[in-house]
Amino acid sequence: MPERRPFVRLPADVYPVNYGLCLKPDLIDFTFEGKLEAAVEVTQATNQIVMNCADIDIITASFVPEGGEEINATGFNYQNEDEKVTLSFPSALQKGSGVLKIDFVGELNDKMKGFYRSKYATPSGEIRFAAVTQFEATDARRAFPCWDEPAIKATFDISLIVPKDRVALSNMNIIDRKPYPEEDSLVEVKFATTPIMSTYLVAFVIGEYDFVESQSSDGVTVRVYTPVGKAEQGKFALEVATKTLPFYKDYFNVPYPLPKIDLIAIADFAAGAMENWGLVTYRETALLIDPKNSCSSSRQWVALVVGHELAHQWFGNLVTMEWWTHLWLNEGFASWIEYLCVDHCFPEYDIWTQFVSADYTRALDLDALDNSHPIEVNVGHPSEVDEIFDAISYSKGASVIRMLHHYIGDEDFRKGMNSYLMKFQHKNASTEDLWDCLEQTSGKPVGLVMRSWTTQMGFPIIVVDQEQQGEDRVLKISQKKFCASGPHSGESCPNWMVPISICTSEDPSCIKLNILLDNPETTVTISNVGHVQWIKINPGTVGFYRIQYSSTMLDSLLPGIRDLSLQPVDRLGLQNDLFSLSRAGMISTVEVLKVMEAFVNEPNYTVWSDLSCNLGVLSSLLSHTDFHEEIQEFIRDLFTPIGEKLGWDSKEGEGHLDALLRGLVLGKLGKAGHKPTLEEARRRFQDHVDGKQILSADLRSPVYLTVLKHGDSATLETMLKLHKLADMQEEKNRIERVLGAISALDLIQKVLTFALSEEVRPQDTVSVIGGVAGSSKQGRKAAWKFVKDNWEELHNRYQGGFLISRLIKLSVDGFAVDKMAIEVKSFFESHHAPAAERTVQQCCENILLNSAWLKRDADDIHQYLLLRKAPPSTPST
């Protein structure tokens, strides 16, 4: 990797107070013209101004000091590598106020960053382009020359010159719209002045949209913009947004600071959504819900993403991180509070249990790797910023905030949040600032505790043993770093400040004792605990750590899985810890399989979902052996009782979670080749295709998956036809994600070719390739070869963004042979992907871990799976 020049932030001798910005995009030639008039402050005399600028050509630039003569810039020196431009002036600009004027041109690119073009079809099928923006982290500089750092805040006056039949939107409300004198097909749209804000939150959209509108109870106008003819599909998000704004206003005790908020669906969009102040942009699938054709998981996803982006309007937009090092604060916080908000709007989703499966365990898995990173990462160069939009910033961030919230309690947490927002509004803050505010309201050592979780990577495994002394139970508790490759060995073992709660079987939902473990080990006595009672550490699975119980403690807990006396989230956590310990070689995988069999009476969707994920990992691992069929049989046996209980059709009085569970279970049974499920899926699929009986949205994924997994070229043809006919992006994505399940090699190639075709939106190619890699051993090989063969095109398409990291992870994470780790490593040594460096290292580590796991446990697993089925032998005499 060539060494970069050390990164330098912009000089502070000139800073902006207000940007007057006028842009005129050309939606046919994909270029734009811009005029910038920025009110600036010169803090010390200088004859140059350094700004950020990328892929923009400056035509003229001048500086007008207050009450003085205009000075024309005599040189523009572009430092492309650093995305900067230096404007040189013939004489020094003196200290004081002035106006910087720049005329420039740029291109409406197709890279989904900066000011870019997004392709859509009109209802009549004509292909057109919208002009939209995505500036976070460092791409505002592609739309206009600016001081593109989060701490350099200013106000913005934006106008757009656009075709008069198009919708033009920006952060603020429109204050004027008048014909453009030079061309009568155009209008000039002026927007109100923004509050003081960071450049990465500026946004504009020019295109064709319909909208639905409402008012929140605190008087904010909320609109959801949809593709033309689909306004109905914006209603669900509108409902969530109008409920959410007052919820946050109450929670933070700070009103929403703008007169309006727009949520808009963008066809080509790299992320899930982006929290631009007052104009939040979304992928269509993260915003649009069609009551007839959207499944329950899509509704839930939309609710979470809306909750996430609206939280940023306060936390991120009103108060912004000082530098990208503190990005996690923004993202971790919003990723935590989105659940609080959805729990408020939809208590029936049991969303906090889902948090544990979706965020908490995902973060634990990534953070156990040697190639993880601390939550707070020192970031310099822009290409390093993209890399930290990962599960550590989002999911570990959210998990440690959830732990902190639990540790200090809701009331003190809210008070602290309010003082933080009041103190830093319209300014910038760092992680420490938040800890200080929370420490003051709670009186607990927040800074000390939290620093151990944000500045060092990884987390502890808590080792617990017990002894009964009369009526008391004495616990010996110790911590050491947990590593995916087994217990941490080494001289300097890091320590954490670990808030630990303890409950007993007397009342599993009530905490008997809270302690703060700040040493490597401690002893705790719990009085009045009878011999027969069990003890559980970390009730609610809130603390960010794994637990290893002594075998007697574990044996006493396991019946709580069968008889459901443990809370769902704790049944899930117990199983997930054991699975993780087995991958790390600390217990045998056979032990975990035995525990999994105890879940046969499990009613909870999220518990099944986590179990299903872990069995998926195991199934993928064992696809490298000759007894893959045996693990399929294990899966069929485990899921059949719940499958029979649920049946295919929803019953009276069922809710959201029943629908999710049915889809999960049928998909699992179908994929594992459960005969009755496969036959019924084929029957229902045929009726669906013939238009006799359309499948309910919640059954489509499992049915599509099942028929493809056991299907032929005719099945694939039919699926591709359904894809072409689908009007909703959600349905197209649903099909794209399961296409990889097809088994025949020639058809796998066909799916991979389809992934790069015009039929698939650029941000969705990744999930098609990932679907192929994740579904079978031959799919994995083919997908990796395809990525290598098409590397130029793929890298060019996603360069720098986090989609390239996701693509790499999905294509290679499932390998389990040492030599594959070497191959992957050497491929990326000769094909640089700077934004994915860490991902490549993590993948190579995972491949080696898989390989070690297989070598260690494969024979035992095989024996166990065979013996399970063997008739009990008669004792020989």
Side-chain angles (χ1 to χ4, degrees):
M1 215 23 243
E3 271 306 300
R4 282 203 199 92
R5 286 205 295 279
F7 171 77
V8 189
R9 278 165 69 166
L10 294 170
D13 48 11
V14 180
Y15 70 88
V17 179
N18 168 271
Y19 291 84
L21 178 65
C22 178
L23 290 172
K24 179 172 172 251
D26 180 329
L27 300 173
I28 309 296
D29 292 338
F30 307 137
T31 56
F32 61 89
E33 295 168 26
K35 273 189 184 329
L36 174 66
E37 293 203 1
V40 301
E41 213 41 61
V42 180
T43 56
Q44 56 190 48
T46 173
N47 60 358
Q48 54 179 34
I49 295 180
V50 183
M51 303 168 76
N52 291 115
C53 177
D55 301 334
I56 278 179
D57 288 321
I58 294 175
I59 296 163
T60 59
S62 65
F63 182 80
V64 186
E66 199 168 17
E69 293 291 302
E70 184 161 356
I71 309 167
N72 286 312
T74 45
F76 317 135
N77 176 17
Y78 297 95
Q79 292 107 291
N80 291 337
E81 177 70 8
D82 292 336
E83 304 185 340
K84 288 175 185 167
V85 65
T86 303
L87 309 175
S88 311
F89 293 89
S91 57
L93 313 178
Q94 297 307 314
K95 200 171 155 187
S97 311
V99 175
L100 173 66
K101 298 181 176 179
I102 302 179
D103 287 5
F104 58 94
V105 292
E107 72 153 333
L108 285 176
N109 70 69
D110 59 355
K111 299 277 188 285
M112 297 190 283
K113 60 185 190 182
F115 197 11
Y116 72 93
R117 60 187 191 258
S118 168
K119 187 165 104 174
Y120 65 98
T122 63
S124 67
E126 184 196 337
I127 295 296
R128 291 189 185 166
F129 289 86
V132 303
T133 57
Q134 168 59 36
F135 291 164
E136 191 181 23
T138 55
D139 291 316
R141 61 192 68 172
R142 288 171 203 284
F144 56 102
C146 56
W147 286 263
D148 199 8
E149 294 182 0
I152 308 181
K153 289 188 169 187
T155 57
F156 292 81
D157 284 285
I158 290 173
S159 5
L160 300 171
I161 295 165
V162 301
K164 59 180 174 211
D165 61 346
R166 300 294 146 103
V167 173
L169 301 170
S170 185
N171 305 79
M172 298 298 289
N173 47 305
I174 295 178
I175 49 171
D176 189 28
R177 189 188 164 100
K178 53 174 191 274
Y180 181 63
E182 291 159 51
E183 236 176 295
D184 60 358
S185 63
L186 302 178
V187 290
E188 181 171 356
V189 183
K190 281 181 87 154
F191 299 90
T193 309
T194 69
I196 297 173
M197 63 186 283
S198 304
T199 48
Y200 79 89
L201 293 165
V202 172
F204 15 92
V205 174
I206 299 105
E208 297 176 276
Y209 301 94
D210 286 345
F211 67 85
V212 284
E213 177 182 323
S214 180
Q215 290 243 299
S216 71
S217 58
D218 40 3
V220 180
T221 302
V222 185
R223 284 184 175 182
V224 175
Y225 282 86
T226 72
V228 173
K230 296 188 176 178
E232 284 294 297
Q233 295 180 18
K235 284 190 163 160
F236 178 73
L238 184 67
E239 206 178 302
V240 177
T242 40
K243 269 190 183 167
T244 297
L245 286 171
F247 171 74
Y248 286 146
K249 178 193 158 190
D250 261 12
Y251 195 85
F252 297 131
N253 200 9
V254 175
Y256 173 74
L258 308 184
K260 64 94 177 173
I261 188 160
D262 298 324
L263 291 70
I264 185 166
I266 305 291
D268 295 323
F269 198 77
M274 174 63 210
E275 69 268 20
N276 317 299
W277 217 358
L279 176 58
V280 185
T281 45
Y282 293 79
R283 272 190 188 203
E284 288 186 6
T285 47
L287 190 67
L288 304 180
I289 291 293
D290 171 355
K292 278 202 184 53
N293 292 299
S294 289
C295 60
S296 306
S297 58
S298 294
R299 303 172 86 83
Q300 180 175 302
W301 168 239
V302 168
L304 285 168
V305 179
V306 169
H308 180 100
E309 305 307 332
L310 295 192
H312 277 311
Q313 307 300 307
W314 284 262
F315 209 96
N317 302 8
L318 181 62
V319 177
T320 309
M321 68 261 147
E322 199 283 324
W323 184 246
W324 300 109
T325 301
H326 304 280
L327 170 82
W328 86 273
L329 246 197
N330 261 11
E331 295 307 345
F333 183 83
S335 301
W336 168 77
I337 207 166
E338 67 184 68
Y339 283 86
L340 199 70
C341 154
V342 167
D343 194 42
H344 163 80
C345 295
F346 304 99
E348 71 278 13
Y349 285 8
D350 181 28
I351 204 76
W352 279 115
T353 307
Q354 296 195 53
F355 174 88
V356 173
S357 176
D359 282 275
Y360 169 95
T361 56
R362 188 168 147 240
L364 286 170
D365 286 339
L366 179 55
D367 206 24
L369 298 178
D370 296 339
N371 287 296
S372 180
H373 62 86
I375 282 181
E376 288 188 68
V377 188
N378 280 319
V379 173
H381 196 275
S383 71
E384 296 168 23
V385 179
D386 281 320
E387 222 187 339
I388 56 173
F389 284 84
D390 68 356
I392 298 293
S393 297
Y394 284 73
S395 299
K396 182 180 181 180
S399 300
V400 299
I401 285 172
R402 174 170 168 259
M403 174 167 73
L404 170 65
H405 176 261
H406 186 258
Y407 170 60
I408 68 176
D410 191 59
E411 194 183 334
D412 287 342
F413 188 87
R414 287 171 74 157
K415 281 190 194 140
M417 290 307 314
N418 171 260
S419 77
Y420 170 81
L421 289 169
M422 294 308 281
K423 186 170 173 186
F424 295 101
Q425 57 184 325
H426 302 298
K427 298 195 195 72
N428 296 78
S430 71
T431 304
E432 296 296 323
D433 295 319
L434 179 61
W435 299 162
D436 293 345
C437 291
L438 291 167
E439 191 155 310
Q440 279 165 5
T441 55
S442 70
K444 289 187 169 162
V446 172
L448 208 55
V449 171
M450 294 309 287
R451 265 191 293 278
S452 75
W453 297 96
T454 63
T455 58
Q456 52 184 9
M457 76 176 204
F459 57 88
I461 178 166
I462 304 294
V463 182
V464 197
D465 202 354
Q466 64 175 11
E467 193 188 334
Q468 187 76 21
Q469 295 184 352
E471 288 304 297
D472 299 342
R473 190 79 56 91
V474 179
L475 301 181
K476 189 172 165 224
I477 300 177
S478 62
Q479 61 163 310
K480 54 176 186 270
K481 182 179 187 318
F482 179 74
C483 299
S485 54
H488 176 86
S489 54
E491 300 312 296
S492 58
C493 189
N495 263 326
W496 282 264
M497 306 268 285
V498 194
I500 293 180
S501 311
I502 301 167
C503 72
T504 69
S505 48
E506 190 181 11
D507 183 354
S509 61
C510 169
I511 291 170
K512 193 101 169 172
L513 185 68
N514 284 309
I515 61 167
L516 185 63
L517 176 65
D518 50 6
N519 291 318
E521 57 180 9
T522 187
T523 305
V524 178
T525 301
I526 303 179
S527 40
N528 300 323
V529 179
H531 290 263
V532 291
Q533 286 191 35
W534 49 252
I535 284 203
K536 167 90 178 68
I537 308 289
N538 200 14
T541 313
V542 177
F544 194 73
Y545 48 82
R546 299 244 178 237
I547 305 170
Q548 185 173 26
Y549 291 101
S550 66
S551 49
T552 53
M553 286 186 83
L554 186 60
D555 289 344
S556 69
L557 281 169
L558 293 179
I561 291 179
R562 258 184 211 282
D563 65 21
L564 310 178
S565 57
L566 277 167
Q567 300 179 71
V569 69
D570 290 330
R571 304 197 290 271
L572 185 161
L574 201 56
Q575 174 268 130
N576 197 286
D577 275 351
L578 292 171
F579 190 73
S580 184
L581 293 181
S582 75
R583 186 176 188 228
M586 296 164 76
I587 59 172
S588 160
T589 309
V590 170
E591 294 304 307
V592 188
L593 290 171
K594 288 178 181 165
V595 170
M596 285 177 165
E597 291 182 292
F599 281 89
V600 22
N601 311 318
E602 183 57 57
N604 184 283
Y605 159 69
T606 314
V607 177
W608 274 114
S609 165
D610 197 71
L611 204 58
S612 163
C613 264
N614 289 338
L615 280 166
V617 170
L618 206 52
S619 169
S620 166
L621 184 74
L622 298 177
S623 67
H624 298 274
T625 67
D626 53 7
F627 59 91
H628 191 232
E629 181 41 45
E630 275 78 348
I631 190 75
Q632 301 316 305
E633 190 180 3
F634 181 88
I635 292 171
R636 293 194 296 265
D637 289 347
L638 187 56
F639 279 81
T640 299
I642 180 80
E644 286 172 351
K645 194 172 140 195
L646 285 165
W648 277 81
D649 299 303
S650 53
K651 303 173 187 62
E652 197 61 39
E654 279 188 349
H656 177 77
L657 293 164
D658 301 294
L660 292 179
L661 181 57
R662 178 173 289 109
L664 174 80
V665 171
L666 293 174
K668 203 72 181 168
L669 285 168
K671 194 177 174 189
H674 180 249
K675 282 272 180 353
T677 305
L678 174 57
E679 283 160 17
E680 183 63 9
R682 282 181 172 150
R683 192 184 67 72
R684 289 182 181 238
F685 182 67
Q686 204 47 57
D687 285 353
H688 176 70
V689 174
D690 297 342
K692 268 201 243 168
Q693 176 76 50
I694 299 302
L695 281 165
S696 76
D698 283 311
L699 287 178
R700 285 181 207 171
S701 276
V703 167
Y704 293 169
L705 175 74
T706 302
V707 297
L708 275 164
K709 175 83 182 158
H710 310 279
D712 54 17
S713 61
T715 323
L716 182 60
E717 278 314 305
T718 308
M719 285 308 302
L720 292 174
K721 200 164 88 198
L722 286 179
H723 181 277
K724 209 174 177 61
L725 294 171
D727 178 43
M728 263 199 104
Q729 197 50 34
E730 178 187 326
E731 176 76 356
K732 285 191 191 293
N733 284 168
R734 187 182 285 133
I735 294 168
E736 287 159 2
R737 279 199 292 267
V738 296
L739 286 174
I742 200 89
S743 305
L745 268 175
D746 56 326
L747 300 179
I748 288 176
Q749 276 320 120
K750 196 170 170 178
V751 170
L752 289 167
T753 312
F754 174 76
L756 272 180
S757 71
E758 285 285 306
E759 297 291 320
V760 178
R761 287 195 179 158
Q763 71 266 25
D764 299 321
T765 298
V766 174
S767 54
V768 182
I769 299 172
V772 172
S775 66
S776 62
K777 189 178 175 181
Q778 53 284 23
R780 195 173 302 125
K781 276 200 180 112
W784 168 233
K785 184 176 184 317
F786 184 79
V787 167
K788 286 187 297 185
D789 293 346
N790 295 278
W791 178 250
E792 286 309 303
E793 182 177 349
L794 289 162
H795 187 244
N796 181 35
R797 195 187 261 207
Y798 306 122
Q799 54 187 3
F802 61 91
L803 281 172
I804 200 82
S805 297
R806 186 167 299 170
L807 174 71
I808 294 168
K809 185 174 167 53
L810 288 169
S811 5
V812 304
D813 232 9
F815 286 113
V817 197
D818 292 359
K819 71 167 197 292
M820 279 310 301
I822 298 162
E823 183 183 318
V824 170
K825 185 169 182 286
S826 75
F827 178 81
F828 289 108
E829 274 165 4
S830 55
H831 299 79
H832 288 307
E837 257 175 282
R838 188 179 278 124
T839 303
V840 171
Q841 291 161 351
Q842 289 165 351
C843 289
C844 293
E845 185 176 347
N846 270 326
I847 294 170
L848 296 173
L849 288 165
N850 287 341
S851 165
W853 190 8
L854 209 50
K855 286 188 196 116
R856 196 175 53 235
D857 277 4
D859 291 347
D860 291 351
I861 296 172
H862 193 188
Q863 281 314 109
Y864 177 72
L865 293 174
L866 291 175
L867 286 173
R868 266 180 80 240
K869 280 309 197 190
S873 56
T874 47
S876 52
T877 47

